[in-house]
Amino acid sequence: GTISGKPYQFDKNFMDGDTYWNEGTEVDVEIKVDGYRIGRFHDDHADKTRVVWPEYAALDDYLAGTGPSYMSNFNLTETCDLRAVSCCFRGSRGAPFPAITMNSDVCHQDLDPSRRSNHINDGWSFHDSESDANIAHCVGFAWADDENTDSHHYRGNALFDVSFANAVMKGYGKNVPGAPLCGCVEMMPVVTNIECRKPEVKNQKHSLTVSGNGTYSVVSDIEVGIVNCATSGSNNLVDRYLTEAAATAEELDQLKKLIVGSEGCAASHDDFVNEHFWVKSTDIKRHQAIDDTKWEIIVGTAGPRFWPPGSYDPLERDVAFRALLGVSPNKIVRRVCDSCLEDWHDIYYKRLNMTSLPPSDVSFVDYFLSNWTSHNNQFNEDFQLFSTYEDAVAGTNPW
C-alpha cells in the first residue's frame, strides 16, 4: 500500500496475520527498519493527513468493475454492517518495545465470515475461557454512518492506528489462531473486550474559494490524533458504541453478541451451541484406559494394528475371535465407544447361546465392528446387554 510501501498482497497478508511483521518475536529483519515508512508516516504525517479507507488498484482487474476494490477484511459492501473494526494481538516482540497488556478473553469464532483470511470454508473454533482469561490485546474503533462526522471521515486514520502503528511502533504481533489479525468485527472472534479508539480533530482550518459555479470549502490545515474513546469509566467498544457510531439499539444488540463484556465467555458459549443444536457431553469415562491384563484388546486405538498379531486375514481374525469367546468363562465381549452417546459408551455383551453362532462363512467379529445384525444374534435369546461387568457376570439388570 501507499503507506507501507509494500504491495497489496503484503498488506492483505499482514491484516490476515501471515507475514514476518506478525510474528511477535524478533526476526532477522528488524521491523522498524523494514517498516520505516510506517514509522515515518506515524511520526511526521499521521497527525496532519487524512488516511482514506484502503482500496487497491491491484483488485480492479479481478473485480472487473463489479464493485469497489476493498480488501476482504474491510469490504464495506459485504461486511462491516455494524461499522466497527478490531485487531486482536496475541504477543509482543519485547524490549525495546513496550510490554503488551492482554485486555480480553477470546471465546469462540464462526470461521466462515473470515474464510478469505483463514482459508477455511466453514467451521467453528472454541477457546478455553476458564484457563486462558485475557489471552489477547484487542483494540478497535467504530464510525457513524454520517459522512460529515469525524469518526467516518477519519476512519482510515483509526485503522492505521490499531493495525500498522501497533505492529511497527509498539512491536505487537500474532493473531488469534483461525482469525485474521484485523477485520470488521463480524469476521473476528467473539471476545470480552475491545479497547475503543477514535479520531480527535483539532485546529481544522479552511480556505474559501469562490468560483463561477459557487462557493466551496477546502481543508488546508488540520491536527488529527487517535485517542481512547473514554478518559474515565469503561473504554470497551461495546460500551462506547452508541456514542461513537451513532448506532441504533438494534445494532448495539448485534454488537453485544460479538463483544460480550463482563458476562464473559461461558454464557456466550452456551448461546452459540444452542443456536447450532449442539449438546455438551457430560461423560467422565471418555478415553479411559483398558486393563489389557484382564481383557484381550482386539481392535481400537489402544489395541494392536492387526489381530491376531501378525495376521492380515479377516477370516483368521474371526476364527481367533470365536475361539477366544469359546474359552471365556463368562462369554462376555466388552465394547467401548468414546464417540457414542453416554449410555452406549461402555457396553457388556454376554453370549447366552454358543450353539447358535453365525455360520463360519459369516464374520461374527464384524457384528461388533461395523455390521450389527440380528441373524443368529437375537436379543435376550442369544445374548443380553449390560452396563457393568458385575451385572453381566451375575446376569442382573440386563437391558
Side-chain angles (χ1 to χ4, degrees):
T2 302
I3 296 177
S4 69
K6 303 289 186 180
Y8 156 77
Q9 195 60 55
F10 183 92
D11 285 3
K12 167 62 176 165
N13 288 346
F14 170 80
M15 295 300 183
D16 290 344
D18 193 26
T19 73
Y20 53 87
W21 283 13
N22 302 95
E23 288 300 315
T25 56
E26 279 301 339
V27 291
D28 293 337
V29 180
E30 168 58 48
I31 191 170
K32 277 198 171 183
V33 175
D34 192 57
Y36 77 96
R37 286 176 59 108
I38 299 293
R40 182 178 178 185
F41 180 83
H42 178 273
D43 294 340
D44 299 337
H45 303 287
D47 61 343
K48 46 184 170 285
T49 304
R50 178 189 173 227
V51 180
V52 298
W53 201 250
E55 294 187 38
Y56 294 86
L59 291 175
D60 288 342
D61 291 340
Y62 176 75
L63 294 171
T66 58
S69 50
Y70 295 129
M71 185 185 297
S72 62
N73 305 51
F74 315 108
N75 192 332
L76 301 181
T77 61
E78 292 183 0
T79 56
C80 284
D81 290 341
L82 295 178
R83 305 185 307 283
V85 161
S86 71
C87 299
C88 285
F89 299 89
R90 288 291 311 274
S92 171
R93 294 176 183 274
F97 294 101
I100 187 171
T101 300
M102 301 305 182
N103 63 8
S104 181
D105 194 359
V106 180
C107 305
H108 58 265
Q109 183 185 4
D110 185 346
L111 299 176
D112 176 67
S114 56
R115 60 190 179 279
R116 292 188 179 94
S117 297
N118 57 33
H119 309 294
I120 300 172
N121 193 49
D122 199 6
W124 304 270
S125 64
F126 280 78
H127 300 267
D128 186 353
S129 59
E130 294 182 1
S131 62
D132 292 334
N134 291 352
I135 62 172
H137 178 90
C138 295
V139 57
F141 61 95
W143 63 90
D145 204 28
D146 184 352
E147 296 181 2
N148 296 313
T149 59
D150 289 341
S151 66
H152 190 289
H153 198 62
Y154 295 101
R155 59 189 175 180
N157 295 65
L159 178 58
F160 171 79
D161 173 80
V162 301
S163 59
F164 281 127
N166 272 329
V168 176
M169 307 308 295
K170 296 182 179 180
Y172 293 176
K174 294 184 178 180
N175 56 305
V176 174
L181 176 70
C182 303
C184 300
V185 291
E186 293 91 338
M187 64 190 299
M188 296 294 287
V190 175
V191 295
T192 57
N193 177 69
I194 295 177
E195 177 186 318
C196 182
R197 302 281 281 173
K198 69 175 182 178
E200 183 179 65
V201 181
K202 298 178 180 179
N203 301 326
Q204 185 166 285
K205 299 177 182 179
H206 295 76
S207 63
L208 298 178
T209 302
V210 179
S211 69
N213 295 324
T215 301
Y216 60 93
S217 173
V218 176
V219 176
S220 58
D221 193 15
I222 190 174
E223 291 181 23
V224 56
I226 306 299
V227 299
N228 286 339
C229 298
T231 55
S232 62
S234 173
N235 193 41
N236 193 341
L237 181 61
V238 72
D239 297 323
R240 300 292 306 174
Y241 184 58
L242 290 176
T243 299
E244 306 305 332
T248 65
E250 291 76 14
E251 288 174 329
L252 178 59
D253 287 341
Q254 291 300 310
L255 188 66
K256 285 182 176 178
K257 296 180 180 179
L258 303 175
I259 312 172
V260 297
S262 59
E263 293 185 2
C265 291
S268 178
H269 281 329
D270 290 342
D271 290 342
F272 188 79
V273 297
N274 287 337
E275 288 173 2
H276 291 82
F277 303 100
W278 295 341
V279 178
K280 293 182 178 180
S281 172
T282 58
D283 174 48
I284 61 173
K285 299 180 180 178
R286 191 163 290 235
H287 306 303
Q288 61 181 306
I290 305 299
D291 187 348
D292 59 7
T293 65
K294 298 179 179 179
W295 297 93
E296 178 81 14
I297 302 175
I298 296 173
V299 68
T301 56
R305 184 178 181 185
F306 300 104
W307 189 88
S311 173
Y312 303 87
D313 188 346
L315 178 60
E316 288 184 13
R317 180 175 62 179
D318 189 57
V319 170
F321 175 74
R322 291 172 186 254
L324 192 62
L325 183 62
V327 298
S328 170
N330 297 303
K331 307 297 185 285
I332 294 174
V333 178
R334 184 182 182 187
R335 177 179 177 270
V336 179
C337 175
D338 286 340
S339 61
C340 297
L341 293 176
E342 185 173 359
D343 288 342
W344 282 266
H345 276 321
D346 203 352
I347 301 175
Y348 296 84
Y349 170 104
K350 184 174 185 178
R351 188 70 189 186
L352 303 178
N353 188 352
M354 292 295 292
T355 63
S356 62
L357 291 177
S360 59
D361 61 345
V362 175
S363 177
F364 184 38
V365 69
D366 197 42
Y367 283 25
F368 299 89
L369 302 179
S370 57
N371 292 303
W372 180 262
T373 177
S374 60
H375 180 66
N376 293 102
N377 197 40
Q378 294 293 323
F379 184 51
N380 284 331
E381 293 182 12
D382 296 313
F383 73 94
Q384 286 182 317
L385 299 178
F386 300 86
S387 297
T388 69
Y389 178 72
E390 292 74 17
D391 279 342
V393 172
T396 56
N397 302 313
W399 288 22

